[in-house]
Amino acid sequence: MKTNGAVIAWGYNGSGQTNVPIAAQSGVMSIAAGHEHSLAVKTNGSVIAWGWNNEGQSIVPVAAQSGVIAVAAGWQHSVALKSDGSVVAWGAGTSNTASFPHYGQSMVPIEAQSGVIAIAAGGLHTVALKTNGAVVAWGAGTNITGFAPYAGQCIIPIEARSGVTAIAAGLYYTLALKTNGSVLLWGSGNFGVMSIPLTAKSGVSAIAAKYDHVVALLGTGLVLPVSLTARKSENEFILSWPRTAIGFKLQSEVNLAPSMTWIDCTNVPVINDTEFTVTDTRSENRKVYRLKKF
C-alpha cells in the first residue's frame, strides 16, 4: 500500500489475487493477503476483496461494507474489524463440520463481538485481541489430537489472557506479544517456527506470522519524530501513527491558546500490522490533536 492510498500486488497470480481492482487503486488505508485472495479497506470503511472465491471469501457481506478499520485474511476466510470493536468473518468456516475447510473459523464468538482492537487470521482459525489485553481464538485447534489441524492453536494459555499488545497467526499456531516485550507462541508448526530464538524472547515491539515463519521487530524501530496522520471518513476523523511508536497516547484540544488543556482521547486505539488507529467523531468546533509520550 502506497502513501497515496494505492495498492500494488505481485507474485503468484493463479486466482487473480495480484490483479488489483480499480476500487483498490486509490483511497485504501489497510490491506491483508490470504492464501490466494486479497483484501483492502477504503477510507470510507468499506472492504474490497479479490482473488480466489471458492468459499465466498471474496464476496464482502453487507456488515463489512461500512465501518471497517482493519482486515485479516486466512486460507479461505476473511475477517474484518469494525470501528465499534466488533468482528465480522466470512468464507470458509461459517459452520463447523470438522472437515476441511469448515472448522468454525468464521463463526465469531460472543467474546469477539465487542471490545476488539486487533485481529489475525491463521490457516483455519481466527484470533482477536480485546481492549483488556486478552486473546480470543476460534476455529480449528480448540482441542489437541496430535493431528493437523487440531494443534491447540485456539487454546489460550494463561499468559495470553492479559497484558497482550499484538497478535499474529500462522497455519496451525498463534502468536502474542506481551507488554514487557516477550513473545508467546502456541499450537504447532514446521521448520522450527515453534522454537523462539533467544534474541526474540525479550525487547520485541512488533510481530508478524504466516504459514510457517515468524518475524519479530526488536527495539522500537522508530524514527523520530513520530508522525500523526489524520484522514476524513464521512462524519469521522481517522487518526493513525506507526505501530512501532509504543507508549504514546492521543490527545486533543479545541482552543489553541497558551492556557490550553490537552484531553486524552478515550477511544481505544485499534492495532493493525503497521499502525495504531483511532476513530473520532467530527465536531463543529475545530479540534487539534497531538501524541503524548507516557
Side-chain angles (χ1 to χ4, degrees):
M1 184 180 73
K2 303 196 69 173
T3 55
N4 63 0
V7 174
I8 298 175
W10 63 95
Y12 178 67
N13 194 37
S15 299
Q17 62 267 40
T18 64
N19 295 335
V20 181
I22 294 176
Q25 293 178 18
S26 64
V28 173
M29 65 177 185
S30 182
I31 54 175
H35 180 56
E36 289 189 26
H37 73 291
S38 303
L39 302 173
V41 183
K42 301 275 287 184
T43 54
N44 64 3
S46 64
V47 175
I48 308 297
W50 65 98
W52 199 20
N53 192 43
N54 65 320
E55 294 292 342
Q57 64 266 40
S58 293
I59 299 177
V60 181
V62 173
Q65 292 177 15
S66 64
V68 175
I69 53 179
V71 284
W75 199 336
Q76 299 174 42
H77 75 291
S78 302
V79 189
L81 174 61
K82 304 201 66 170
S83 58
D84 62 1
S86 64
V87 175
V88 180
W90 65 97
T94 53
S95 63
N96 185 358
T97 64
S99 60
F100 185 86
H102 301 288
Y103 298 94
Q105 63 267 41
S106 293
M107 300 171 64
V108 181
I110 293 176
E111 303 95 311
Q113 292 177 16
S114 64
V116 174
I117 59 173
I119 53 175
L124 299 168
H125 72 294
T126 306
V127 188
L129 175 62
K130 302 275 288 183
T131 55
N132 62 1
V135 175
V136 179
W138 61 96
T142 55
N143 59 347
I144 302 175
T145 66
F147 300 95
Y150 304 105
Q153 61 267 41
C154 291
I155 301 175
I156 311 301
I158 294 176
E159 300 89 338
R161 297 176 187 174
S162 64
V164 174
T165 63
I167 52 175
L171 186 57
Y172 301 136
Y173 64 91
T174 304
L175 196 67
L177 174 63
K178 298 278 287 185
T179 54
N180 62 4
S182 63
V183 176
L184 302 174
L185 185 60
W186 64 96
S188 177
N190 299 315
F191 308 106
V193 71
M194 303 304 294
S195 299
I196 302 174
L198 183 62
T199 53
K201 290 187 175 181
S202 62
V204 175
S205 59
I207 53 175
K210 208 54 183 174
Y211 293 144
D212 281 309
H213 75 288
V214 174
V215 181
L217 175 64
L218 298 177
T220 64
L222 180 64
V223 178
L224 295 175
V226 179
S227 60
L228 177 63
T229 302
R231 302 185 294 269
K232 291 189 294 184
S233 175
E234 298 179 350
N235 65 337
E236 297 176 324
F237 273 120
I238 300 172
L239 299 112
S240 59
W241 61 97
R243 173 69 182 82
T244 51
I246 296 173
F248 285 84
K249 66 175 66 175
L250 181 67
Q251 297 181 324
S252 65
E253 172 59 84
V254 296
N255 181 25
L256 282 179
S259 59
M260 69 176 65
T261 301
W262 291 95
I263 300 173
D264 292 347
C265 182
T266 57
N267 295 344
V268 178
V270 170
I271 309 168
N272 62 30
D273 289 342
T274 60
E275 61 187 9
F276 292 98
T277 300
V278 170
T279 301
D280 194 18
T281 302
R282 294 169 62 183
S283 64
E284 295 182 359
N285 298 322
R286 184 177 66 176
K287 187 181 289 188
V288 180
Y289 298 90
R290 77 172 184 179
L291 289 174
K292 174 70 173 179
K293 183 72 173 178
F294 63 88

